[in-house]
Amino acid sequence: KAGVTQTPRYLIKTRGQQVTLSCSPISGHRSVSWYQQTPGQGLQFLFEYFSETQRNKGNFPGRFSGRQFSNSRSEMNVSTLELGDSALYLCASSPGQGAGTDTQYFGPGTRLTVL
Amino acid sequence: AQKVTQAQTEISVVEKEDVTLDCVYETRDTTYYLFWYKQPPSGELVFLIRRNSFDEQNEISGRYSWNFQKSTSSFNFTITASQVVDSAVYFCALSEASNYGQNFVFGPGTRLSVLP
């Protein structure tokens, strides 16, 4: 099976702009989670989508949003970018039914740089 | 609240040495899952192992072994006869079974450098 794919791999934006990141999960997986990784804060959970519904949400401002499509692909959007949003954004997929018990499989990440 | 601590920020060893990466967790749930992931320089998190709270058997997979001790809330990872390719950041993670949906809590990671 193909792994989790994320596009684009690299992005450079300026403050105030918005950005959309895409994630395609492993075939058959219905849960997609997003994480932000920074040197200072480490890996932090953003949100999780399952069957096109947000099932869980971390502690991030409303500028961070997401959605999931019927084919389980997911997009994450960040509006009004700030310098502190520069990070590696990782997407993870899992079968979904097991909720907190599933193993998550990660994609290669999108490295976002905000200038 | 869930919490994962990896006290070792960075470790350097010479090839063929054994190395143990420590992981201590906190949870109020009786049913939970622990994970180890490897993050090479490419950035992708690679899944290594998943262990549930009811299975305290140690596990060995090739040069890798894991020691789970509920009494000390620890889930340590040992690499035997380390190799340069083992150089990466290693993360320990915790997921409570009562979670509504997926929400891993990761430790801060341990950067392992294996020198030739």
Short mmCIF file of all heavy atoms in Angstrom, two decimals, chain A residues 37 43, chain B residues 6 8-13 19-21 36-48 63-64 77 79 82-92 108-115:
data_model
loop_
_atom_site.label_atom_id
_atom_site.label_comp_id
_atom_site.label_asym_id
_atom_site.label_seq_id
_atom_site.Cartn_x
_atom_site.Cartn_y
_atom_site.Cartn_z
N GLN A 37 4.99 20.68 14.22
CA GLN A 37 6.26 20.42 14.89
C GLN A 37 7.16 21.63 14.78
O GLN A 37 7.50 22.07 13.68
CB GLN A 37 6.96 19.19 14.31
CG GLN A 37 8.23 18.81 15.07
CD GLN A 37 8.91 17.57 14.52
OE1 GLN A 37 8.72 17.19 13.37
NE2 GLN A 37 9.68 16.89 15.36
N LEU A 43 6.12 18.38 19.05
CA LEU A 43 4.99 17.91 18.26
C LEU A 43 3.69 18.21 19.00
O LEU A 43 3.45 17.71 20.08
CB LEU A 43 5.09 16.39 18.04
CG LEU A 43 5.97 15.93 16.90
CD1 LEU A 43 6.44 14.50 17.15
CD2 LEU A 43 5.19 16.01 15.60
N GLN B 6 10.82 12.66 28.06
CA GLN B 6 12.05 12.02 27.57
C GLN B 6 13.18 12.90 28.06
O GLN B 6 13.45 13.95 27.50
CB GLN B 6 12.04 11.91 26.05
CG GLN B 6 10.94 10.99 25.52
CD GLN B 6 10.93 10.94 24.01
OE1 GLN B 6 10.08 11.54 23.37
NE2 GLN B 6 11.88 10.19 23.44
N GLN B 8 16.37 12.65 28.19
CA GLN B 8 17.60 12.78 27.41
C GLN B 8 17.31 13.59 26.16
O GLN B 8 16.59 13.13 25.27
CB GLN B 8 18.13 11.40 27.02
CG GLN B 8 18.36 10.46 28.18
CD GLN B 8 18.08 9.01 27.79
OE1 GLN B 8 17.02 8.73 27.23
NE2 GLN B 8 19.00 8.10 28.05
N THR B 9 17.89 14.77 26.08
CA THR B 9 17.68 15.60 24.91
C THR B 9 18.53 15.10 23.74
O THR B 9 18.04 15.00 22.61
CB THR B 9 18.04 17.06 25.23
OG1 THR B 9 17.31 17.47 26.37
CG2 THR B 9 17.73 17.96 24.05
N GLU B 10 19.79 14.83 24.01
CA GLU B 10 20.70 14.35 22.97
C GLU B 10 21.61 13.28 23.55
O GLU B 10 22.05 13.37 24.70
CB GLU B 10 21.57 15.50 22.43
CG GLU B 10 20.82 16.55 21.68
CD GLU B 10 21.75 17.48 20.92
OE1 GLU B 10 22.76 17.02 20.38
OE2 GLU B 10 21.45 18.68 20.87
N ILE B 11 21.88 12.28 22.73
CA ILE B 11 22.82 11.22 23.10
C ILE B 11 23.75 10.99 21.93
O ILE B 11 23.30 10.93 20.77
CB ILE B 11 22.09 9.89 23.43
CG1 ILE B 11 21.09 10.07 24.57
CG2 ILE B 11 23.10 8.80 23.75
CD1 ILE B 11 20.29 8.79 24.85
N SER B 12 25.03 10.85 22.23
CA SER B 12 26.01 10.49 21.20
C SER B 12 26.69 9.19 21.60
O SER B 12 27.13 9.07 22.75
CB SER B 12 27.08 11.57 21.05
OG SER B 12 26.67 12.57 20.18
N VAL B 13 26.76 8.28 20.68
CA VAL B 13 27.46 7.03 20.93
C VAL B 13 28.33 6.71 19.72
O VAL B 13 28.14 7.28 18.63
CB VAL B 13 26.49 5.85 21.19
CG1 VAL B 13 25.64 6.13 22.42
CG2 VAL B 13 25.63 5.57 19.98
N VAL B 19 22.65 1.49 23.30
CA VAL B 19 22.14 2.76 23.82
C VAL B 19 20.68 2.57 24.24
O VAL B 19 19.92 1.87 23.55
CB VAL B 19 22.29 3.89 22.79
CG1 VAL B 19 21.55 3.57 21.49
CG2 VAL B 19 21.83 5.22 23.35
N THR B 20 20.31 3.17 25.36
CA THR B 20 18.93 3.10 25.84
C THR B 20 18.33 4.49 25.90
O THR B 20 18.92 5.41 26.48
CB THR B 20 18.87 2.44 27.24
OG1 THR B 20 19.30 1.07 27.13
CG2 THR B 20 17.44 2.47 27.78
N LEU B 21 17.16 4.62 25.32
CA LEU B 21 16.42 5.87 25.32
C LEU B 21 15.28 5.74 26.32
O LEU B 21 14.50 4.78 26.27
CB LEU B 21 15.86 6.16 23.92
CG LEU B 21 16.86 6.08 22.77
CD1 LEU B 21 16.17 6.44 21.45
CD2 LEU B 21 18.07 6.95 23.01
N TRP B 36 6.59 4.17 20.00
CA TRP B 36 7.87 4.78 19.67
C TRP B 36 7.91 5.05 18.17
O TRP B 36 7.48 4.20 17.36
CB TRP B 36 9.05 3.88 20.04
CG TRP B 36 9.49 4.00 21.47
CD1 TRP B 36 9.11 3.23 22.53
CD2 TRP B 36 10.41 4.97 22.01
NE1 TRP B 36 9.73 3.64 23.68
CE2 TRP B 36 10.53 4.71 23.38
CE3 TRP B 36 11.14 6.03 21.44
CZ2 TRP B 36 11.36 5.47 24.23
CZ3 TRP B 36 11.96 6.78 22.27
CH2 TRP B 36 12.07 6.50 23.65
N TYR B 37 8.40 6.25 17.83
CA TYR B 37 8.58 6.64 16.44
C TYR B 37 10.01 7.13 16.25
O TYR B 37 10.61 7.70 17.15
CB TYR B 37 7.63 7.78 16.06
CG TYR B 37 6.18 7.37 15.88
CD1 TYR B 37 5.32 7.30 16.98
CD2 TYR B 37 5.67 7.06 14.62
CE1 TYR B 37 4.00 6.94 16.82
CE2 TYR B 37 4.34 6.70 14.46
CZ TYR B 37 3.52 6.64 15.56
OH TYR B 37 2.20 6.27 15.40
N LYS B 38 10.50 6.94 15.03
CA LYS B 38 11.83 7.42 14.64
C LYS B 38 11.64 8.51 13.60
O LYS B 38 10.86 8.35 12.66
CB LYS B 38 12.63 6.26 14.05
CG LYS B 38 13.97 6.65 13.44
CD LYS B 38 14.65 5.43 12.82
CE LYS B 38 15.98 5.79 12.19
NZ LYS B 38 16.64 4.59 11.58
N GLN B 39 12.35 9.62 13.76
CA GLN B 39 12.29 10.70 12.77
C GLN B 39 13.69 10.94 12.21
O GLN B 39 14.50 11.64 12.82
CB GLN B 39 11.73 11.98 13.38
CG GLN B 39 11.50 13.07 12.34
CD GLN B 39 10.83 14.32 12.92
OE1 GLN B 39 11.17 14.74 14.02
NE2 GLN B 39 9.87 14.88 12.20
N PRO B 40 13.98 10.39 11.04
CA PRO B 40 15.27 10.66 10.40
C PRO B 40 15.29 12.08 9.85
O PRO B 40 14.26 12.77 9.90
CB PRO B 40 15.33 9.62 9.27
CG PRO B 40 13.89 9.30 8.99
CD PRO B 40 13.13 9.48 10.27
N PRO B 41 16.44 12.53 9.35
CA PRO B 41 16.54 13.90 8.84
C PRO B 41 15.49 14.24 7.77
O PRO B 41 15.14 15.40 7.62
CB PRO B 41 17.95 13.95 8.28
CG PRO B 41 18.70 12.97 9.12
CD PRO B 41 17.74 11.85 9.38
N SER B 42 14.98 13.26 7.08
CA SER B 42 13.98 13.53 6.05
C SER B 42 12.68 14.08 6.64
O SER B 42 11.88 14.71 5.93
CB SER B 42 13.68 12.26 5.25
OG SER B 42 13.18 11.26 6.12
N GLY B 43 12.44 13.85 7.91
CA GLY B 43 11.29 14.46 8.58
C GLY B 43 10.12 13.55 8.86
O GLY B 43 9.32 13.83 9.75
N GLU B 44 9.98 12.47 8.10
CA GLU B 44 8.83 11.59 8.30
C GLU B 44 8.96 10.81 9.59
O GLU B 44 10.03 10.28 9.91
CB GLU B 44 8.74 10.64 7.11
CG GLU B 44 7.58 9.67 7.15
CD GLU B 44 7.48 8.89 5.85
OE1 GLU B 44 8.14 9.26 4.87
OE2 GLU B 44 6.74 7.90 5.83
N LEU B 45 7.90 10.70 10.33
CA LEU B 45 7.89 9.89 11.55
C LEU B 45 7.64 8.43 11.16
O LEU B 45 6.61 8.11 10.57
CB LEU B 45 6.81 10.35 12.51
CG LEU B 45 7.12 11.59 13.33
CD1 LEU B 45 5.86 12.10 14.00
CD2 LEU B 45 8.17 11.29 14.38
N VAL B 46 8.56 7.57 11.54
CA VAL B 46 8.46 6.16 11.19
C VAL B 46 8.03 5.37 12.43
O VAL B 46 8.68 5.44 13.47
CB VAL B 46 9.81 5.63 10.66
CG1 VAL B 46 9.70 4.13 10.36
CG2 VAL B 46 10.24 6.40 9.43
N PHE B 47 6.94 4.64 12.31
CA PHE B 47 6.41 3.85 13.42
C PHE B 47 7.35 2.69 13.73
O PHE B 47 7.81 1.98 12.85
CB PHE B 47 5.02 3.32 13.03
CG PHE B 47 4.49 2.24 13.93
CD1 PHE B 47 4.11 2.54 15.21
CD2 PHE B 47 4.39 0.94 13.47
CE1 PHE B 47 3.61 1.54 16.05
CE2 PHE B 47 3.91 -0.07 14.29
CZ PHE B 47 3.52 0.23 15.58
N LEU B 48 7.63 2.50 15.04
CA LEU B 48 8.50 1.41 15.47
C LEU B 48 7.74 0.34 16.25
O LEU B 48 7.88 -0.85 16.00
CB LEU B 48 9.64 1.93 16.33
CG LEU B 48 10.64 2.88 15.64
CD1 LEU B 48 11.66 3.38 16.64
CD2 LEU B 48 11.31 2.18 14.46
N ARG B 63 17.71 -5.61 16.33
CA ARG B 63 18.60 -4.91 17.27
C ARG B 63 17.84 -4.04 18.27
O ARG B 63 18.43 -3.44 19.15
CB ARG B 63 19.60 -4.05 16.49
CG ARG B 63 20.53 -4.84 15.59
CD ARG B 63 21.56 -3.93 14.90
NE ARG B 63 20.93 -2.95 14.02
CZ ARG B 63 20.82 -1.66 14.27
NH1 ARG B 63 21.28 -1.18 15.42
NH2 ARG B 63 20.24 -0.84 13.41
N TYR B 64 16.54 -3.95 18.08
CA TYR B 64 15.70 -3.10 18.92
C TYR B 64 15.02 -3.92 20.00
O TYR B 64 14.55 -5.03 19.75
CB TYR B 64 14.61 -2.41 18.09
CG TYR B 64 15.06 -1.45 17.04
CD1 TYR B 64 14.15 -0.95 16.11
CD2 TYR B 64 16.37 -1.01 16.94
CE1 TYR B 64 14.53 -0.04 15.14
CE2 TYR B 64 16.76 -0.11 15.97
CZ TYR B 64 15.84 0.38 15.07
OH TYR B 64 16.23 1.27 14.10
N PHE B 77 13.56 2.17 25.42
CA PHE B 77 13.91 1.62 24.11
C PHE B 77 15.42 1.45 24.03
O PHE B 77 16.16 2.41 24.28
CB PHE B 77 13.40 2.61 23.04
CG PHE B 77 13.80 2.32 21.63
CD1 PHE B 77 14.00 1.04 21.15
CD2 PHE B 77 13.97 3.38 20.73
CE1 PHE B 77 14.36 0.79 19.84
CE2 PHE B 77 14.32 3.14 19.40
CZ PHE B 77 14.51 1.86 18.95
N ILE B 79 18.72 0.16 21.72
CA ILE B 79 19.29 -0.26 20.43
C ILE B 79 20.60 -0.96 20.74
O ILE B 79 21.49 -0.38 21.39
CB ILE B 79 19.54 0.95 19.50
CG1 ILE B 79 18.23 1.71 19.25
CG2 ILE B 79 20.14 0.48 18.19
CD1 ILE B 79 18.41 3.00 18.44
N SER B 82 24.60 -0.31 17.95
CA SER B 82 24.08 0.80 17.16
C SER B 82 24.86 0.96 15.84
O SER B 82 26.04 0.60 15.73
CB SER B 82 24.15 2.09 17.96
OG SER B 82 25.49 2.37 18.34
N GLN B 83 24.15 1.52 14.87
CA GLN B 83 24.74 1.78 13.55
C GLN B 83 24.49 3.24 13.19
O GLN B 83 23.57 3.88 13.72
CB GLN B 83 24.09 0.87 12.50
CG GLN B 83 24.28 -0.61 12.78
CD GLN B 83 23.55 -1.48 11.77
OE1 GLN B 83 22.90 -0.99 10.84
NE2 GLN B 83 23.64 -2.80 11.95
N VAL B 84 25.28 3.74 12.26
CA VAL B 84 25.15 5.14 11.83
C VAL B 84 23.73 5.43 11.35
O VAL B 84 23.18 6.51 11.58
CB VAL B 84 26.19 5.47 10.74
CG1 VAL B 84 25.94 6.85 10.16
CG2 VAL B 84 27.60 5.38 11.31
N VAL B 85 23.10 4.44 10.71
CA VAL B 85 21.74 4.63 10.19
C VAL B 85 20.70 4.80 11.30
O VAL B 85 19.56 5.19 11.05
CB VAL B 85 21.30 3.47 9.28
CG1 VAL B 85 22.11 3.47 8.02
CG2 VAL B 85 21.35 2.15 10.02
N ASP B 86 21.09 4.52 12.54
CA ASP B 86 20.18 4.72 13.66
C ASP B 86 20.12 6.19 14.09
O ASP B 86 19.28 6.56 14.92
CB ASP B 86 20.61 3.87 14.86
CG ASP B 86 20.51 2.38 14.59
OD1 ASP B 86 19.62 1.95 13.83
OD2 ASP B 86 21.35 1.62 15.14
N SER B 87 20.99 7.00 13.55
CA SER B 87 20.99 8.42 13.90
C SER B 87 19.67 9.06 13.48
O SER B 87 19.28 9.00 12.31
CB SER B 87 22.15 9.14 13.21
OG SER B 87 23.39 8.65 13.65
N ALA B 88 18.98 9.63 14.46
CA ALA B 88 17.64 10.19 14.21
C ALA B 88 17.15 10.79 15.52
O ALA B 88 17.81 10.69 16.56
CB ALA B 88 16.67 9.11 13.75
N VAL B 89 15.96 11.39 15.45
CA VAL B 89 15.28 11.80 16.68
C VAL B 89 14.21 10.75 16.97
O VAL B 89 13.45 10.36 16.06
CB VAL B 89 14.63 13.19 16.54
CG1 VAL B 89 13.96 13.59 17.85
CG2 VAL B 89 15.67 14.22 16.13
N TYR B 90 14.16 10.30 18.19
CA TYR B 90 13.22 9.25 18.59
C TYR B 90 12.18 9.85 19.54
O TYR B 90 12.52 10.52 20.51
CB TYR B 90 13.96 8.09 19.25
CG TYR B 90 14.80 7.31 18.28
CD1 TYR B 90 16.10 7.72 17.98
CD2 TYR B 90 14.30 6.19 17.62
CE1 TYR B 90 16.87 7.01 17.08
CE2 TYR B 90 15.06 5.48 16.72
CZ TYR B 90 16.36 5.90 16.44
OH TYR B 90 17.12 5.22 15.53
N PHE B 91 10.92 9.56 19.23
CA PHE B 91 9.82 10.07 20.02
C PHE B 91 9.04 8.93 20.67
O PHE B 91 8.74 7.92 20.02
CB PHE B 91 8.85 10.87 19.15
CG PHE B 91 9.41 12.15 18.64
CD1 PHE B 91 10.01 12.21 17.39
CD2 PHE B 91 9.33 13.32 19.38
CE1 PHE B 91 10.53 13.39 16.90
CE2 PHE B 91 9.84 14.51 18.91
CZ PHE B 91 10.45 14.55 17.66
N CYS B 92 8.70 9.15 21.92
CA CYS B 92 7.79 8.27 22.63
C CYS B 92 6.43 8.97 22.67
O CYS B 92 6.37 10.21 22.80
CB CYS B 92 8.33 8.06 24.06
SG CYS B 92 7.36 6.97 25.11
N PRO B 108 9.24 15.11 24.11
CA PRO B 108 10.04 16.11 23.38
C PRO B 108 11.05 15.51 22.42
O PRO B 108 11.63 16.23 21.60
CB PRO B 108 10.74 16.88 24.50
CG PRO B 108 10.80 15.92 25.63
CD PRO B 108 9.58 15.08 25.54
N GLY B 109 11.26 14.21 22.52
CA GLY B 109 12.19 13.55 21.61
C GLY B 109 13.62 13.49 22.16
O GLY B 109 14.04 14.32 22.96
N THR B 110 14.33 12.48 21.71
CA THR B 110 15.75 12.32 22.03
C THR B 110 16.52 12.22 20.72
O THR B 110 16.22 11.36 19.88
CB THR B 110 16.01 11.04 22.86
OG1 THR B 110 15.35 11.13 24.11
CG2 THR B 110 17.52 10.84 23.08
N ARG B 111 17.47 13.11 20.54
CA ARG B 111 18.28 13.08 19.32
C ARG B 111 19.46 12.14 19.53
O ARG B 111 20.29 12.37 20.41
CB ARG B 111 18.78 14.48 18.96
CG ARG B 111 19.62 14.50 17.67
CD ARG B 111 20.04 15.92 17.32
NE ARG B 111 18.89 16.79 17.07
CZ ARG B 111 18.23 16.84 15.91
NH1 ARG B 111 18.63 16.09 14.89
NH2 ARG B 111 17.22 17.66 15.77
N LEU B 112 19.51 11.10 18.75
CA LEU B 112 20.59 10.12 18.84
C LEU B 112 21.56 10.30 17.68
O LEU B 112 21.15 10.31 16.52
CB LEU B 112 20.03 8.69 18.81
CG LEU B 112 21.05 7.56 18.75
CD1 LEU B 112 21.90 7.53 20.02
CD2 LEU B 112 20.37 6.21 18.52
N SER B 113 22.81 10.47 18.01
CA SER B 113 23.86 10.54 16.99
C SER B 113 24.78 9.34 17.17
O SER B 113 25.33 9.14 18.26
CB SER B 113 24.67 11.83 17.13
OG SER B 113 23.85 12.95 16.92
N VAL B 114 24.90 8.55 16.13
CA VAL B 114 25.79 7.40 16.16
C VAL B 114 26.98 7.74 15.28
O VAL B 114 26.85 7.93 14.07
CB VAL B 114 25.09 6.13 15.67
CG1 VAL B 114 26.04 4.93 15.76
CG2 VAL B 114 23.84 5.86 16.48
N LEU B 115 28.13 7.79 15.91
CA LEU B 115 29.35 8.21 15.20
C LEU B 115 30.11 6.99 14.68
O LEU B 115 30.19 5.98 15.37
CB LEU B 115 30.23 9.03 16.13
CG LEU B 115 29.52 10.20 16.83
CD1 LEU B 115 30.44 10.85 17.85
CD2 LEU B 115 29.07 11.20 15.79
#
